[in-house]
Short mmCIF file of all heavy atoms in Angstrom, two decimals:
data_model
loop_
_atom_site.label_atom_id
_atom_site.label_comp_id
_atom_site.label_asym_id
_atom_site.label_seq_id
_atom_site.Cartn_x
_atom_site.Cartn_y
_atom_site.Cartn_z
N LEU A 127 100.66 102.04 67.61
CA LEU A 127 100.78 102.77 68.87
C LEU A 127 101.29 104.18 68.64
O LEU A 127 100.90 105.11 69.35
CB LEU A 127 101.71 102.00 69.81
CG LEU A 127 101.94 102.61 71.19
CD1 LEU A 127 100.63 102.75 71.95
CD2 LEU A 127 102.93 101.75 71.99
N TRP A 128 102.17 104.36 67.65
CA TRP A 128 102.69 105.70 67.36
C TRP A 128 101.56 106.65 66.97
O TRP A 128 101.50 107.78 67.44
CB TRP A 128 103.72 105.60 66.24
CG TRP A 128 104.21 106.93 65.76
CD1 TRP A 128 103.70 107.70 64.76
CD2 TRP A 128 105.32 107.68 66.29
NE1 TRP A 128 104.40 108.85 64.61
CE2 TRP A 128 105.41 108.89 65.53
CE3 TRP A 128 106.24 107.45 67.31
CZ2 TRP A 128 106.39 109.83 65.78
CZ3 TRP A 128 107.22 108.41 67.55
CH2 TRP A 128 107.28 109.58 66.79
N TYR A 129 100.65 106.19 66.12
CA TYR A 129 99.56 107.07 65.69
C TYR A 129 98.53 107.29 66.79
O TYR A 129 97.90 108.34 66.86
CB TYR A 129 98.90 106.51 64.43
CG TYR A 129 99.68 106.84 63.18
CD1 TYR A 129 100.56 105.93 62.62
CD2 TYR A 129 99.56 108.09 62.59
CE1 TYR A 129 101.29 106.25 61.49
CE2 TYR A 129 100.29 108.42 61.46
CZ TYR A 129 101.15 107.49 60.92
OH TYR A 129 101.88 107.81 59.80
N VAL A 130 98.36 106.31 67.66
CA VAL A 130 97.48 106.52 68.81
C VAL A 130 98.06 107.60 69.72
O VAL A 130 97.35 108.51 70.19
CB VAL A 130 97.29 105.21 69.58
CG1 VAL A 130 96.57 105.45 70.90
CG2 VAL A 130 96.49 104.21 68.75
N LEU A 131 99.37 107.54 69.97
CA LEU A 131 100.02 108.55 70.80
C LEU A 131 100.03 109.91 70.10
O LEU A 131 99.93 110.95 70.76
CB LEU A 131 101.45 108.12 71.13
CG LEU A 131 101.58 106.89 72.03
CD1 LEU A 131 103.03 106.45 72.13
CD2 LEU A 131 101.03 107.18 73.42
N LEU A 132 100.15 109.91 68.78
CA LEU A 132 100.13 111.17 68.05
C LEU A 132 98.78 111.86 68.18
O LEU A 132 98.70 113.09 68.38
CB LEU A 132 100.47 110.92 66.58
CG LEU A 132 100.53 112.15 65.68
CD1 LEU A 132 101.60 113.12 66.15
CD2 LEU A 132 100.79 111.73 64.23
N LYS A 133 97.70 111.10 68.08
CA LYS A 133 96.37 111.68 68.27
C LYS A 133 96.20 112.20 69.70
O LYS A 133 95.63 113.27 69.92
CB LYS A 133 95.31 110.63 67.95
CG LYS A 133 95.22 110.27 66.47
CD LYS A 133 94.33 109.08 66.23
CE LYS A 133 92.91 109.37 66.63
NZ LYS A 133 92.00 108.23 66.32
N GLU A 134 96.71 111.43 70.66
CA GLU A 134 96.62 111.88 72.06
C GLU A 134 97.44 113.14 72.27
O GLU A 134 97.02 114.06 73.00
CB GLU A 134 97.13 110.76 72.97
CG GLU A 134 96.97 111.03 74.45
CD GLU A 134 95.54 110.92 74.93
OE1 GLU A 134 94.70 110.41 74.15
OE2 GLU A 134 95.26 111.36 76.06
N LYS A 135 98.58 113.23 71.64
CA LYS A 135 99.42 114.43 71.78
C LYS A 135 98.73 115.65 71.19
O LYS A 135 98.74 116.74 71.79
CB LYS A 135 100.77 114.19 71.09
CG LYS A 135 101.70 115.38 71.14
CD LYS A 135 102.98 115.08 70.38
CE LYS A 135 103.89 116.30 70.37
NZ LYS A 135 105.14 116.04 69.59
N ASN A 136 98.12 115.50 70.02
CA ASN A 136 97.41 116.62 69.41
C ASN A 136 96.24 117.07 70.30
O ASN A 136 95.98 118.28 70.44
CB ASN A 136 96.89 116.23 68.03
CG ASN A 136 98.02 116.03 67.03
OD1 ASN A 136 99.09 116.60 67.20
ND2 ASN A 136 97.77 115.23 66.01
N MET A 137 95.55 116.11 70.89
CA MET A 137 94.44 116.46 71.77
C MET A 137 94.94 117.22 73.00
O MET A 137 94.35 118.22 73.42
CB MET A 137 93.70 115.19 72.19
CG MET A 137 92.46 115.42 73.04
SD MET A 137 92.80 115.49 74.82
CE MET A 137 93.32 113.80 75.12
N LEU A 138 96.05 116.77 73.59
CA LEU A 138 96.58 117.43 74.78
C LEU A 138 97.14 118.81 74.46
O LEU A 138 97.01 119.74 75.27
CB LEU A 138 97.66 116.55 75.41
CG LEU A 138 97.17 115.23 76.01
CD1 LEU A 138 98.33 114.38 76.47
CD2 LEU A 138 96.22 115.48 77.17
N LEU A 139 97.74 118.97 73.29
CA LEU A 139 98.22 120.30 72.90
C LEU A 139 97.06 121.26 72.69
O LEU A 139 97.15 122.44 73.03
CB LEU A 139 99.05 120.19 71.62
CG LEU A 139 100.42 119.51 71.76
CD1 LEU A 139 101.07 119.38 70.40
CD2 LEU A 139 101.32 120.28 72.71
N THR A 140 95.96 120.75 72.13
CA THR A 140 94.76 121.59 71.99
C THR A 140 94.22 121.98 73.36
O THR A 140 93.83 123.14 73.59
CB THR A 140 93.69 120.84 71.20
OG1 THR A 140 94.22 120.44 69.94
CG2 THR A 140 92.46 121.72 70.98
N LEU A 141 94.20 121.03 74.29
CA LEU A 141 93.72 121.31 75.64
C LEU A 141 94.63 122.30 76.34
O LEU A 141 94.15 123.20 77.06
CB LEU A 141 93.65 120.00 76.43
CG LEU A 141 93.14 120.09 77.86
CD1 LEU A 141 91.72 120.63 77.91
CD2 LEU A 141 93.21 118.72 78.53
N GLU A 142 95.93 122.19 76.13
CA GLU A 142 96.87 123.13 76.74
C GLU A 142 96.66 124.54 76.20
O GLU A 142 96.66 125.52 76.96
CB GLU A 142 98.30 122.66 76.47
CG GLU A 142 99.36 123.53 77.10
CD GLU A 142 100.76 123.06 76.76
OE1 GLU A 142 100.91 122.37 75.74
OE2 GLU A 142 101.69 123.40 77.49
N GLN A 143 96.48 124.67 74.91
CA GLN A 143 96.27 126.00 74.32
C GLN A 143 94.94 126.60 74.79
O GLN A 143 94.86 127.81 75.06
CB GLN A 143 96.30 125.89 72.79
CG GLN A 143 96.26 127.20 72.07
CD GLN A 143 97.49 128.04 72.33
OE1 GLN A 143 98.56 127.52 72.62
NE2 GLN A 143 97.33 129.36 72.25
N GLU A 144 93.91 125.76 74.90
CA GLU A 144 92.62 126.28 75.36
C GLU A 144 92.70 126.71 76.83
O GLU A 144 92.08 127.71 77.22
CB GLU A 144 91.55 125.19 75.18
CG GLU A 144 90.15 125.63 75.54
CD GLU A 144 89.61 126.72 74.65
OE1 GLU A 144 90.18 126.92 73.55
OE2 GLU A 144 88.64 127.38 75.05
N SER A 145 93.48 125.98 77.64
CA SER A 145 93.65 126.37 79.04
C SER A 145 94.38 127.71 79.15
O SER A 145 94.05 128.54 80.00
CB SER A 145 94.42 125.29 79.79
OG SER A 145 93.73 124.05 79.74
N LYS A 146 95.36 127.94 78.29
CA LYS A 146 96.06 129.22 78.30
C LYS A 146 95.12 130.34 77.88
O LYS A 146 95.18 131.45 78.43
CB LYS A 146 97.27 129.16 77.36
CG LYS A 146 98.39 128.26 77.85
CD LYS A 146 99.55 128.26 76.87
CE LYS A 146 100.67 127.37 77.35
NZ LYS A 146 101.81 127.35 76.39
N ARG A 147 94.27 130.05 76.89
CA ARG A 147 93.35 131.09 76.43
C ARG A 147 92.36 131.48 77.51
O ARG A 147 92.05 132.66 77.69
CB ARG A 147 92.61 130.60 75.18
CG ARG A 147 91.78 131.67 74.48
CD ARG A 147 91.02 131.10 73.30
NE ARG A 147 89.97 130.19 73.74
CZ ARG A 147 88.74 130.56 74.13
NH1 ARG A 147 88.42 131.85 74.13
NH2 ARG A 147 87.85 129.68 74.50
N GLN A 148 91.87 130.50 78.26
CA GLN A 148 90.92 130.77 79.33
C GLN A 148 91.60 131.12 80.65
O GLN A 148 90.91 131.37 81.64
CB GLN A 148 90.01 129.56 79.54
CG GLN A 148 89.14 129.23 78.34
CD GLN A 148 88.20 128.09 78.60
OE1 GLN A 148 88.12 127.58 79.72
NE2 GLN A 148 87.47 127.66 77.59
N GLN A 149 92.97 131.08 80.66
CA GLN A 149 93.73 131.40 81.87
C GLN A 149 93.33 130.50 83.04
O GLN A 149 93.07 130.95 84.15
CB GLN A 149 93.58 132.88 82.24
CG GLN A 149 94.11 133.84 81.19
CD GLN A 149 93.98 135.28 81.59
OE1 GLN A 149 93.44 135.60 82.65
NE2 GLN A 149 94.49 136.18 80.76
N LYS A 150 93.27 129.21 82.75
CA LYS A 150 92.94 128.21 83.76
C LYS A 150 93.99 127.12 83.74
O LYS A 150 94.63 126.88 82.71
CB LYS A 150 91.56 127.59 83.47
CG LYS A 150 90.40 128.57 83.64
CD LYS A 150 89.07 127.86 83.39
CE LYS A 150 87.90 128.82 83.57
NZ LYS A 150 86.60 128.13 83.33
N PRO A 151 94.22 126.45 84.86
CA PRO A 151 95.22 125.38 84.88
C PRO A 151 94.77 124.18 84.04
O PRO A 151 93.60 123.80 84.04
CB PRO A 151 95.33 125.02 86.36
CG PRO A 151 94.03 125.45 86.97
CD PRO A 151 93.60 126.67 86.19
N MET A 152 95.71 123.60 83.37
CA MET A 152 95.42 122.42 82.54
C MET A 152 95.26 121.20 83.44
O MET A 152 96.09 120.94 84.30
CB MET A 152 96.55 122.20 81.53
CG MET A 152 96.40 120.95 80.69
SD MET A 152 97.80 120.71 79.57
CE MET A 152 97.39 119.12 78.87
N PRO A 153 94.19 120.42 83.28
CA PRO A 153 94.02 119.23 84.11
C PRO A 153 95.05 118.15 83.77
O PRO A 153 95.17 117.73 82.62
CB PRO A 153 92.59 118.76 83.78
CG PRO A 153 92.30 119.34 82.45
CD PRO A 153 93.07 120.62 82.36
N SER A 154 95.81 117.74 84.79
CA SER A 154 96.83 116.68 84.66
C SER A 154 97.78 116.96 83.50
O SER A 154 97.78 116.25 82.49
CB SER A 154 96.15 115.32 84.47
OG SER A 154 95.34 115.00 85.58
N PRO A 155 98.59 118.01 83.61
CA PRO A 155 99.51 118.32 82.49
C PRO A 155 100.60 117.27 82.30
O PRO A 155 101.27 117.28 81.27
CB PRO A 155 100.10 119.67 82.91
CG PRO A 155 100.00 119.69 84.39
CD PRO A 155 98.74 118.95 84.73
N GLU A 156 100.79 116.38 83.30
CA GLU A 156 101.82 115.36 83.15
C GLU A 156 101.49 114.36 82.04
O GLU A 156 102.36 113.60 81.60
CB GLU A 156 102.03 114.61 84.46
CG GLU A 156 100.88 113.74 84.90
CD GLU A 156 99.79 114.50 85.65
OE1 GLU A 156 99.94 115.73 85.79
OE2 GLU A 156 98.82 113.86 86.10
N ARG A 157 100.26 114.34 81.58
CA ARG A 157 99.90 113.42 80.49
C ARG A 157 100.68 113.72 79.22
O ARG A 157 101.07 112.81 78.48
CB ARG A 157 98.39 113.50 80.22
CG ARG A 157 97.52 112.95 81.33
CD ARG A 157 96.05 112.99 80.92
NE ARG A 157 95.57 114.37 80.84
CZ ARG A 157 94.40 114.72 80.33
NH1 ARG A 157 93.58 113.79 79.83
NH2 ARG A 157 94.02 115.98 80.30
N LEU A 158 100.89 114.99 78.95
CA LEU A 158 101.63 115.37 77.74
C LEU A 158 103.08 114.90 77.83
O LEU A 158 103.65 114.42 76.84
CB LEU A 158 101.57 116.89 77.56
CG LEU A 158 102.24 117.47 76.31
CD1 LEU A 158 101.62 116.85 75.06
CD2 LEU A 158 102.10 118.97 76.28
N GLU A 159 103.69 115.00 79.00
CA GLU A 159 105.06 114.52 79.17
C GLU A 159 105.14 113.01 78.99
O GLU A 159 106.10 112.49 78.40
CB GLU A 159 105.59 114.92 80.55
CG GLU A 159 105.65 116.43 80.77
CD GLU A 159 106.12 116.77 82.17
OE1 GLU A 159 106.40 115.82 82.95
OE2 GLU A 159 106.22 117.97 82.49
N LYS A 160 104.14 112.28 79.49
CA LYS A 160 104.14 110.83 79.32
C LYS A 160 104.02 110.43 77.86
O LYS A 160 104.69 109.50 77.40
CB LYS A 160 102.99 110.22 80.14
CG LYS A 160 103.13 110.37 81.64
CD LYS A 160 101.93 109.79 82.36
CE LYS A 160 102.03 109.98 83.87
NZ LYS A 160 100.84 109.45 84.57
#
């Protein structure tokens, strides 16, 4: 489960950085906190 969450975290961090680059809101940012 740790490595599954780690992959999910890396994916969400990539999505967050891409949203900042495009200056658009990140869809459901609460996923990263969970």
Side-chain angles (χ1 to χ4, degrees):
L127 181 59
W128 174 270
Y129 279 98
V130 171
L131 293 172
L132 181 61
K133 291 171 63 176
E134 186 73 12
K135 179 182 177 182
N136 291 336
M137 184 271 294
L138 293 174
L139 290 176
T140 304
L141 181 61
E142 182 182 23
Q143 187 65 27
E144 184 65 18
S145 301
K146 291 181 180 179
R147 189 183 68 84
Q148 297 183 5
Q149 297 182 357
K150 293 182 179 180
M152 176 182 175
S154 299
E156 68 276 2
R157 291 184 292 170
L158 183 58
E159 298 177 1
K160 294 178 182 178

